Amino acid sequence: MVEIELDGKKVEVAEGCMVMHAAEKAGTYIPHFCYHKKLSIAANCRMCLVDVEKAPKPMPACATPVTQGMIVRTKSEKAIKAQQSVMEFLLINHPLDCPICDQGGECQLQDLAVGYGSSSSRYEEEKRVVFHKDVGPLISMEEMSRCIHCTRCVRFGQEISGIMELGMIHRGEHSEITTVVGDTVDSELSGNMIDICPVGALTSKPFRYSARTWELSRRKSVSPHDSTGANLIVQVKNHKVMRVVPFENEAVNECWIADRDRFSYEALNGADRLTRPMLKQGGEWKEVDWQTALEYVANGLRTIKNDHGANSVAALASPHSTLEELYLAAALVRGMGSDSIDWRLRHAEFAAAQGVRWLGMPIAAMNELQAVLVVGSNLRKDHPLFAQRIRQAAKKGCQVFAINGKVYDWALPVSASVVAAADWAQALADVAAAVAQAKGVASPVQGSDNAEAAAIAGALLSGERKAILLGNAAAHHAQAESLLALAQWIGEQTGAHVGYLTEAANTVGAQWVKAQPQAQGLNAAQITAGQAKAVILLNNEPVFDTAAGAKAVEGLSKAEMVVTLSPFKTNLDFSDVLLPIAPFTETSGSFVNAEGRVQSFHAVVKPLGETRPGWKVLRVLGNLLGVQGMAFESSQDVLAAAAGGVSQLGAELNNRTAAAAAVVQGAVAEPVVASIYQLDSIVRRATSLQLTADARQAREGGAA
């Protein structure tokens, strides 16, 4: 440790730290633009100049290493004059368009100009003009004359998203940030560039000119998309969601969010929203009141149960639903005597439940991995924020291996990638055999010798922090249990954590509240094939969200009643009733992320039209059907009943399975995996996300 004096106070920091780090520890603010705690040091802007005793000139705090006994003054006349000179230089070419700038009110340059700027400029020459650039549907680069060349966006691309999509060309006053060859910015994390831009050069294209920052209310929430459980700040004006930005949580999403977390809000205000209950009568859809719709559903379910038996009533529940909705859906179905409820919509194998499948480690621990094997995942697109953490680990020397149907570009160094088509079980068996040979133990399965398997086994056997992570495609695979059993055996032999990346916001929660058959109930494949007579569809669209795909229409059309609970007008071809339930912004609820963290949130806007929270709709249906134990007054009451005490979740997390099964020989169908902007009903309706390169590629039949 090194001790320095900062503005008269003693500060102790680690050797190799910069003066800026010492100031942060001491709680002293030093003005800056190019410095960002998550990015490398560039020392471009010089705004952080400070007075270091015995130094011949002011020094940049972000790039000056501390030395024992160093004396630093951040508020001396020398430091202040240097900072004022830098501010004058930065404002020479900056356009005076604060009144129309979207960044106005939250602009770092604007804030610091108040303290360090002058009331007038000595610069009388013409200001430079930088032409606008079109880089896609998400980021606006219309006013690049505002850019102060801090290069935060460039470094973000290189270091966090893994793709250098922006760079600086030319020199001096001709310097400009651009995509160089006129490409679009297509990273799945690109929206974070908007947040880290300290001026109004990069702004949100969907939000552009929609509201001023001081008009917005800011409310905390949680992302309903992938299993990270990213923490959000939802910004609201007149009961309408206007913008979504990250809420910093180092243990979950750090200070980043994926583009689908940021821009999917567009769907919440779209024309496709369902605002009143609807019944299909004589082949035509008609709006009705809630009492009529709920009584129709209750009478229909009661009649079908009496005519065909309790197990003829079934529910398909989206794992993007809240924990409270999933719990009540399961309670409703079981209260009618049925066990036919399933959240495993895209699965091909439906093994009996053996604990809750989860990540197997804290999310933050991914940054420190020394070796990781990812099986059946397009990591970068399926889990952008997990990929970012593994990217940081790879920079520190982590060896990354993959077993997939094809080679994906993860924008990080992959030591070896095994392309095994759909025969991933054999590829894992080869790794197990290599581990067994290296340790001199018996292999649980027959494997073949190959260099990739030996390399994976060697990496997993060395080091202390390692993991085997099963992706969405591995969970959906027809040999999912065999893959888990093999991974578990390898984990036991090598000391590696074994877990699932998990697909949706509440995949772990859905298992926890037992929203799947526990005994003899129908599974998702059987329900979509038409084996149920009454089907409740909670927050999903079977054509897009199930392994059956378009065939689900034929199967569900065989049912006597199909009830859709959704925020959107959907499933019109085979539904008999549409009940408008609130999306995550209009209801309170909880999500359980991949690491088993229970995160609750409140509604940030009031429900649109006659929309009602899903848990309330399910509760009333239960009451109408005489189901016991559903008289809840609030979502917190439902959570308490579902959790039985939140602390129990840790004990129930369990990736254990039976001993490694024999590898099944022969062709296995390719697993069903949603592309990045087709994951759920909200993302599918977000206009700007559907204009991205990833969405276009998915529509054209490629992987995205």
Side-chain angles (χ1 to χ4, degrees), residues 609-660:
E610 293 185 26
T611 299
R612 297 289 181 268
W615 71 267
K616 287 188 176 181
V617 175
L618 291 164
R619 180 199 64 186
V620 174
L621 270 178
N623 293 340
L624 290 173
L625 287 163
V627 175
Q628 298 299 310
M630 293 186 70
F632 298 104
E633 294 298 320
S634 68
S635 63
Q636 287 83 1
D637 292 343
V638 184
L639 176 62
V646 171
S647 59
Q648 290 185 8
L649 179 57
E652 294 188 22
L653 294 172
N654 176 19
N655 286 320
R656 302 290 299 178
T657 187

Side-chain angles (χ1 to χ4, degrees), residues 346-349 374-379 382-383 403-406 408 421-422 424-425 469-481 483 500-503 668-674:
R346 295 188 175 101
H347 286 221
E349 186 179 55
V374 180
V375 182
S377 174
N378 183 0
L379 184 66
D382 293 348
H383 303 91
I403 295 177
N404 266 317
K406 61 181 179 180
Y408 293 108
W424 301 339
L469 302 177
L470 303 172
N472 296 353
H476 302 163
H477 201 277
Q479 295 174 301
E481 287 299 299
L483 292 174
Y500 283 95
L501 294 167
T502 72
E503 177 182 22
V668 178
E670 189 72 20
V672 176
V673 181

Side-chain angles (χ1 to χ4, degrees), residues 217-263:
S217 300
R218 290 160 176 79
R219 293 155 192 177
K220 287 176 62 177
S221 191
V222 179
S223 169
H225 305 305
D226 65 33
S227 59
T228 308
N231 290 200
L232 310 176
I233 294 290
V234 181
Q235 300 184 347
V236 174
K237 177 184 176 183
N238 296 333
H239 297 289
K240 182 179 179 183
V241 177
M242 304 300 292
R243 184 165 63 168
V244 175
V245 296
F247 180 80
E248 185 169 350
N249 185 337
E250 280 296 313
V252 180
N253 56 295
E254 299 175 88
C255 57
W256 317 119
I257 54 174
D259 286 352
R260 64 181 165 206
D261 302 327
R262 184 184 301 272
F263 297 108

Side-chain angles (χ1 to χ4, degrees), residues 157 160-165 184-190 226 228 258-260 374 376-391 400 404 407-412 414 471-472 501 674-677 693-694 697 703-704:
I160 306 299
S161 70
I163 316 169
M164 185 178 173
E165 294 179 295
T184 54
V185 173
D186 298 320
S187 165
E188 59 285 346
L189 297 172
S190 65
D226 65 33
T228 308
D259 286 352
R260 64 181 165 206
V374 180
S377 174
N378 183 0
L379 184 66
R380 180 179 148 203
K381 303 299 183 182
D382 293 348
H383 303 91
L385 294 174
F386 290 172
Q388 186 276 131
R389 286 188 180 272
I390 292 176
R391 191 173 294 120
V400 182
N404 266 317
V407 176
Y408 293 108
D409 176 13
W410 289 351
L412 57 85
V414 178
N472 296 353
L501 294 167
S675 65
I676 184 169
Y677 298 135
D694 278 331
Q697 189 177 356

Side-chain angles (χ1 to χ4, degrees), residues 279-301:
L279 294 181
K280 187 186 287 183
Q281 296 177 339
E284 292 186 6
W285 286 100
K286 295 183 179 179
E287 292 185 345
V288 296
D289 59 73
W290 270 105
Q291 186 71 22
T292 301
L294 290 171
E295 287 181 355
Y296 179 88
V297 172
N299 291 333
L301 293 177

Side-chain angles (χ1 to χ4, degrees), residues 102-103 106 137-141 152-153 156 166 189-207 243-246 256 259 262-263:
D102 264 350
Q103 199 85 346
E106 55 186 11
L138 305 181
I139 298 178
S140 172
M141 295 179 72
R152 279 186 179 182
C153 57
F156 174 84
L166 294 176
L189 297 172
S190 65
N192 293 292
M193 295 181 186
I194 299 166
D195 294 334
I196 63 174
C197 181
V199 295
L202 304 182
T203 54
S204 168
K205 192 172 279 190
F207 174 72
R243 184 165 63 168
V244 175
V245 296
W256 317 119
D259 286 352
R262 184 184 301 272
F263 297 108

